Amino acid sequence: MSDTITEPVIQVTETALVKILEIRSAEENPDELGLRIEVTGVRGAEFSYDLAFEPLAECDPDDVRHEQGGLTVVVPADSAERLQGATLDLPSNKEQAGLVLRNPNRPEVPALGDPIELTGTVEDKIRQLLDQQVNPAIAAHGGFASLIRVEGSTAFIAMGGGCQGCAMSALTLREGIQSAILGSIPEITAVEDTTDHASGENPFY
């Protein structure tokens, strides 16, 4: 195991540090544990994470480590670039419970129309396309698209969240999502919009 302590990848705020040390104190041999922070995947337009205490003796040689206030923060090498500049915080807002990882980095997601590998049934392929390409692209609007059903060669799609009731969402569906589906899934020759655009809540304009 490398004992090299590098520049921090993640900053831990004082309030978060106090809470983490408090939780760690209840563990067996707390002084031998570091906090491992790892990127585990992608959820929409954000990364997903795993935080856990890990014996420092079990760290991988290429893990990126730094000490802060008696806590060793451990970041796996393959997560370091995606977590660079992030902050682990404990908000004072009572409505926000628990630790929050504020990460300035975002996963690269395929743009609408980019080639994407799809497998399974026609329904599976549409859902994969929506999850991996369409919804990350429209997540900034607080909305999402979902498959309602497939009838023959027609896919019925609905938009929800900030896209429902949005004056632009029907155009987005026609111009962007429809083109992506028709271009990626040859079994589908038509896309129908089932969204009730007149009844959305908090639409994005």
Side-chain angles (χ1 to χ4, degrees), residues 4 6 18 21 29 35 41 43 47 55 57 59 68-69 74 85 95 124 126 129 134 143 153 175 186 201:
T4 302
T6 65
V18 169
L21 292 176
N29 301 319
L35 178 66
R43 183 179 302 157
F47 289 118
C59 289
Q68 184 175 341
V74 182
E95 295 181 359
D124 291 338
I126 296 173
L129 181 66
V134 172
S153 61
E175 300 299 326
E201 294 183 4

Side-chain angles (χ1 to χ4, degrees), residues 24-42:
R24 191 185 67 168
S25 67
E27 300 285 333
E28 186 176 352
N29 301 319
D31 293 339
E32 300 177 8
L33 300 177
L35 178 66
R36 186 178 187 86
I37 305 175
E38 181 177 6
V39 174
T40 57
V42 175

Side-chain angles (χ1 to χ4, degrees), residues 84-159:
Q84 187 67 50
T87 300
L88 187 60
D89 192 14
L90 182 66
S92 57
N93 184 352
K94 293 182 179 179
E95 295 181 359
Q96 180 71 61
L99 296 166
V100 173
L101 186 59
R102 309 186 195 282
N103 189 357
N105 306 294
R106 296 291 181 273
E108 293 184 6
V109 296
L112 283 176
D114 283 355
I116 185 172
E117 183 177 348
L118 304 171
T119 59
T121 66
V122 173
E123 289 84 354
D124 291 338
K125 292 177 181 179
I126 296 173
R127 292 190 179 97
Q128 290 166 27
L129 181 66
L130 294 178
D131 291 343
Q132 298 175 30
Q133 190 176 89
V134 172
N135 286 331
I138 62 177
H141 299 265
F144 61 89
S146 57
L147 174 67
I148 302 303
R149 66 187 184 277
V150 173
E151 292 183 3
S153 61
T154 300
F156 292 82
I157 305 295
M159 302 183 74

